[in-house]
Amino acid sequence: AQSVSQHNHHVILSEAASLELGCNYSYGGTVNLFWYVQYPGQHLQLLLKYFSGDPLVKGIKGFEAEFIKSKFSFNLRKPSVQWSDTAEYFCAVTPGTGGGADGLTFGKGTHLIIQP
Amino acid sequence: DAGVIQSPRHEVTEMGQEVTLRCKPISGHNSLFWYRQTMMRGLELLIYFNNNVPIDDSGMPEDRFSAKMPNASFSTLKIQPSEPRDSAVYFCASSLGTGGYGYTFGSGTRLTVV
């Protein structure tokens, strides 16, 4: 079975700082990787996903993530954060053969607070 | 597209009562997932369906939990009898099931069992 580890449970940054949230997964086969964001009191929204091809994936709101297969990592980055990025961020994985027919396994999440 | 629709948004019930959560997936999506979110355990996959057929219910915590998907546009998650430790936010998600289109989540049902 697959698992996901997010190293930082809480991150506090000032506006305009650069962001990198770590995500490592454990699974022996091909994987599909996702980052979701959950704003306070809201549902999960997809930021970006990786299925194949270019390991550098660009998502919405200026976020990007890089899949490094040798490190089993899929870290989320943003060059300059805004106050509105305050939210909970979840990394998730599913077996690559499923294509959306298998359930997601989530990390525990990283609570990001951006100070004005 | 209205997205994944869950009802109710909030539910407060007394211990021992039956609770039914409802989900309408996005039209055309053939996979449906139920997740539970708590502070202690994060997001857990409870059960999922492909083409209305339950595929994996290994995440369902106990026999008190059951889920059905009688047709492509409706699913229920039932807890009978409910207990305080069932208090959580329950999310439903749907996906196209093929081609890597990703998953769309509903707004969730916040369940409080007192």
Side-chain angles (χ1 to χ4, degrees):
Chain A
Q2 60 271 24
S3 65
V4 178
S5 175
Q6 292 182 241
H7 316 298
N8 310 103
H9 296 295
H10 299 275
V11 173
I12 301 174
L13 294 172
S14 298
E15 276 193 315
S18 65
L19 169 72
E20 181 161 3
L21 301 182
C23 172
N24 286 91
Y25 68 91
S26 174
Y27 185 70
T30 306
V31 292
N32 299 323
L33 295 156
F34 306 80
W35 275 98
Y36 281 85
V37 62
Q38 187 177 29
Y39 298 103
Q42 296 191 24
H43 63 286
L44 285 88
Q45 300 174 40
L46 181 66
L47 275 179
L48 48 79
K49 61 183 187 283
Y50 171 81
F51 279 75
S52 63
D54 189 343
L56 184 60
V57 179
K58 294 192 183 298
I60 62 172
K61 303 179 189 286
F63 287 91
E64 65 178 32
E66 184 174 13
F67 171 49
I68 303 179
K69 188 176 181 180
S70 61
K71 295 184 178 181
F72 297 89
S73 70
F74 191 56
N75 292 354
L76 181 71
R77 300 193 294 248
K78 185 171 184 178
S80 177
V81 294
Q82 302 171 305
W83 177 79
S84 58
D85 293 325
T86 295
E88 191 89 15
Y89 291 80
F90 294 93
C91 182
V93 65
T94 191
T97 54
D102 298 307
L104 290 163
T105 298
F106 283 92
K108 294 292 187 187
T110 297
H111 188 200
L112 175 65
I113 297 174
I114 307 300
Q115 297 177 329
Chain B
D1 194 330
V4 177
I5 299 173
Q6 291 186 246
S7 64
R9 289 295 305 274
H10 302 274
E11 176 81 32
V12 181
T13 190
E14 291 184 346
M15 183 174 63
Q17 296 297 307
E18 177 181 295
V19 175
T20 300
L21 311 181
R22 298 172 177 80
C23 176
K24 176 179 169 55
I26 290 175
S27 178
H29 281 192
N30 56 4
S31 294
L32 183 140
F33 308 83
W34 282 100
Y35 289 87
R36 178 172 68 175
Q37 185 179 32
T38 60
M39 289 291 291
M40 291 296 295
R41 301 175 69 90
L43 278 154
E44 303 171 278
L45 175 65
L46 300 177
I47 184 172
Y48 71 94
F49 299 81
N50 286 343
N51 297 313
N52 312 337
V53 176
I55 302 300
D56 185 354
D57 65 354
S58 60
M60 298 284 261
E62 299 172 34
D63 291 344
R64 299 184 295 106
F65 286 69
S66 63
K68 294 182 180 179
M69 192 165 186
N71 56 62
S73 60
F74 184 67
S75 177
T76 59
L77 177 68
K78 185 178 293 186
I79 308 172
Q80 166 63 19
S82 58
E83 296 182 4
R85 59 195 168 115
D86 302 331
S87 298
V89 180
Y90 291 81
F91 287 103
C92 177
S94 69
S95 77
L96 195 53
T98 58
Y101 292 98
Y103 307 73
T104 303
F105 282 79
S107 297
T109 294
R110 182 175 294 277
L111 173 65
T112 303
V113 183
V114 298

